[in-house]
Amino acid sequence: MKKVIIIDDDAWMRESVARYLTTHADLQCIEASNCIDALDILNEQQHVPDCILLDIFLPGYNAFTFINELRSHHDFASIPIILWTSHVEGIKDVSLGAYGIVSVINKTTMTNTTVYQAICEAIHNESN
Amino acid sequence: MCYTISSMRQGDTHIEHGARTDVAMATMVAHELKSPLALIRHLSQEIQHDLTHSPDQISLIHEQITLTSERLLRLVQNITTAETLNQELFQLEPINPLAVCEDVLHEIQPLYRAQGRDIIVKKRRKIPLILANRDLLHRVVSHFADNALKYTPKGSTVYIGLQQQANKRVRIAVRDFGPGVDAHVVRSVQEGRCIKFIPRRPDSNGLGLYIAGQFADCMDAQLGVSTHRDGASFYIDSMESNQLSLI
């Protein structure tokens, strides 16, 4: 079973997407409300997750600090990352490829299916 | 871009500055409303499209939509009140600050419990009456409590504390357990300046604090924030009422 880590400080949004992915997409979802918790989870995991769904504005570390931490660790350096945010316009100037971000989801227009498709695509591209 | 509260309130007649201020305010408001609106939309879609949910799950999602909408409405209400703020409409009177805090607690506790957190009111000694406007004070404390919820980990308890100060003031503080706030934010709040961005709390753009600052000014009260190793306390210091000393 493929494993996805969902990092978002909005618990209800996180749970809603996790509910869908677990029930309908046969993915194992692990939730974290901030980047520090996510790093702890990553360190405890026996298997590296297949994809990370990451909000940008988080308490403590923001998304880009987290990605820099992640990329400095050999085991986690190649995990595909999908950003999801309500503030897409705020990231237009950021060079996403340099951070290893494979796609960006707009929370104000997304559906659970969009999220699932983006995850499938990220995992598929990574395995090829 | 950052404007002082006083310069915005004095009604700067310079059109260009006024227009820039309006745009800055509109952007802040839009930023603040986006995330809860996106959540409401997403949860509504989940109920509509996912037919596998049990009645209990549907009821839980309905409750989440209701509580998020109520939170959003409180924010919108505060913004519209701040826009039409007129000191004559908001008379100050002797009020019991404990009663206001308990009202806020009653209003916001369901949201806290639904998110696996708790909030309680703590007072050390008998608290005197204060001179304030009940509605505005309620909104300020409610904003602090709402903000604390966002920055407090699951399973934690937020405290609304009341304390008599030495300078004939009464402090109502809301203590959270999230990331602390930086020294320059503390200074900006104390100097009544508008904050565009709060480091370590990037989801906060300072709009709520700006509005709370306007409400506090209207009551001749002061806002402040103190930082702790494991969180922050946002507070409002109000004037003690002399009502009892006149008897």
Side-chain angles (χ1 to χ4, degrees):
Chain A
M1 188 186 279
K2 299 287 185 189
K3 197 188 286 180
V4 178
I5 297 190
I6 305 175
I7 310 171
D8 197 314
D9 58 337
D10 188 332
W12 292 344
M13 181 64 94
R14 210 173 59 220
E15 287 164 10
S16 170
V17 171
R19 260 195 306 268
Y20 177 85
L21 296 176
T22 310
T23 317
H24 298 278
D26 203 26
L27 290 167
Q28 185 191 348
C29 295
I30 302 161
E31 299 176 40
S33 62
N34 59 62
C35 295
I36 307 278
D37 287 357
L39 285 171
D40 287 344
I41 290 169
L42 279 164
N43 284 324
E44 287 164 11
Q45 294 296 306
Q46 288 179 336
H47 304 289
V48 177
D50 300 279
C51 183
I52 293 175
L53 198 54
L54 177 63
D55 187 22
I56 295 181
F57 296 115
L58 293 159
Y61 284 11
N62 72 19
F64 297 104
T65 312
F66 170 74
I67 294 171
N68 287 335
E69 284 267 13
L70 207 64
R71 296 299 179 225
S72 67
H73 194 300
H74 179 262
D75 292 347
F76 307 137
S78 59
I79 305 171
I81 293 171
I82 298 169
L83 281 187
W84 67 335
T85 176
S86 305
H87 308 285
V88 175
E89 66 282 1
I91 55 168
K92 64 184 176 201
D93 297 329
V94 179
S95 170
L96 301 177
Y99 286 96
I101 293 161
V102 293
S103 60
V104 179
I105 295 174
N106 185 346
K107 276 190 194 171
T108 62
T109 55
M110 72 175 192
T111 62
N112 280 326
T113 320
T114 335
V115 179
Y116 174 55
Q117 282 168 350
I119 291 172
C120 286
E121 208 170 297
I123 293 174
H124 178 76
N125 290 344
E126 178 58 22
S127 58
N128 286 340
Chain B
M1 200 183 304
C2 193
Y3 299 96
T4 65
I5 290 175
S6 54
S7 76
M8 290 175 93
R9 187 164 303 120
Q10 279 160 10
D12 195 329
T13 51
H14 194 284
I15 293 169
E16 195 184 333
H17 180 213
R20 281 209 312 268
T21 307
D22 286 348
V23 171
M25 275 300 284
T27 309
M28 284 171 95
V29 171
H31 181 96
E32 200 76 25
L33 302 184
K34 247 182 177 182
S35 297
L37 280 171
L39 177 64
I40 291 170
R41 175 189 166 276
H42 188 79
L43 293 175
S44 311
Q45 284 204 330
E46 185 182 349
I47 293 181
Q48 194 185 350
H49 298 302
D50 196 331
L51 305 175
T52 62
H53 286 334
S54 67
D56 281 352
Q57 270 179 319
I58 292 173
S59 161
L60 178 76
I61 297 169
H62 273 144
E63 189 195 9
Q64 292 175 348
I65 293 172
T66 306
L67 291 170
T68 309
S69 311
E70 284 171 0
R71 191 180 151 249
L72 204 52
L73 284 168
R74 275 198 298 274
L75 179 64
V76 171
Q77 185 67 45
N78 284 348
I79 293 166
T80 48
T81 305
E83 194 53 37
T84 56
L85 207 54
N86 178 343
Q87 233 156 351
E88 285 164 16
L89 290 177
F90 294 99
Q91 299 287 335
L92 305 187
E93 57 180 336
I95 59 169
N96 178 357
L98 181 61
V100 173
C101 293
E102 283 170 347
D103 279 353
V104 171
L105 189 76
H106 181 72
E107 179 184 276
I108 208 160
Q109 206 158 37
L111 182 60
Y112 266 74
R113 298 221 164 129
Q115 297 207 6
R117 291 145 179 93
D118 203 4
I119 180 165
I120 57 169
V121 174
K122 252 183 167 180
K123 69 175 180 92
R124 288 199 182 144
R125 277 181 292 168
K126 197 168 177 233
I127 300 296
L129 298 182
I130 58 170
L131 209 51
N133 178 277
R134 185 182 299 275
D135 183 36
L136 294 185
L137 185 66
H138 182 105
R139 286 163 194 249
V140 172
V141 179
S142 178
H143 163 69
F144 288 164
D146 190 69
N147 198 48
L149 172 64
K150 200 159 44 174
Y151 294 105
T152 293
K154 209 168 181 173
S156 305
T157 301
V158 165
Y159 301 102
I160 304 179
L162 292 106
Q163 202 176 15
Q164 192 170 6
Q165 301 293 106
N167 52 355
K168 300 250 335 152
R169 297 240 157 200
V170 171
R171 174 167 296 180
I172 302 176
V174 178
R175 164 81 155 102
D176 69 39
F177 293 88
V181 287
D182 293 347
H184 81 271
V185 175
V186 176
R187 275 197 303 277
S188 299
V189 172
Q190 273 150 4
E191 289 164 10
R193 279 190 278 122
C194 182
I195 307 151
K196 180 112 193 250
F197 176 78
I198 303 179
R200 292 194 274 167
R201 297 184 175 214
D203 226 10
S204 282
N205 61 17
L207 175 68
L209 264 184
Y210 166 70
I211 292 171
Q214 285 197 314
F215 293 165
D217 276 2
C218 218
M219 297 186 287
D220 203 12
Q222 273 95 45
L223 287 196
V225 54
S226 53
T227 190
H228 313 283
R229 235 181 340 185
D230 57 349
S233 293
F234 286 86
Y235 61 80
I236 178 166
D237 286 344
S238 306
M239 295 179 286
E240 258 182 43
S241 162
N242 288 319
Q243 189 195 52
L244 291 180
S245 61
L246 296 174
I247 296 173

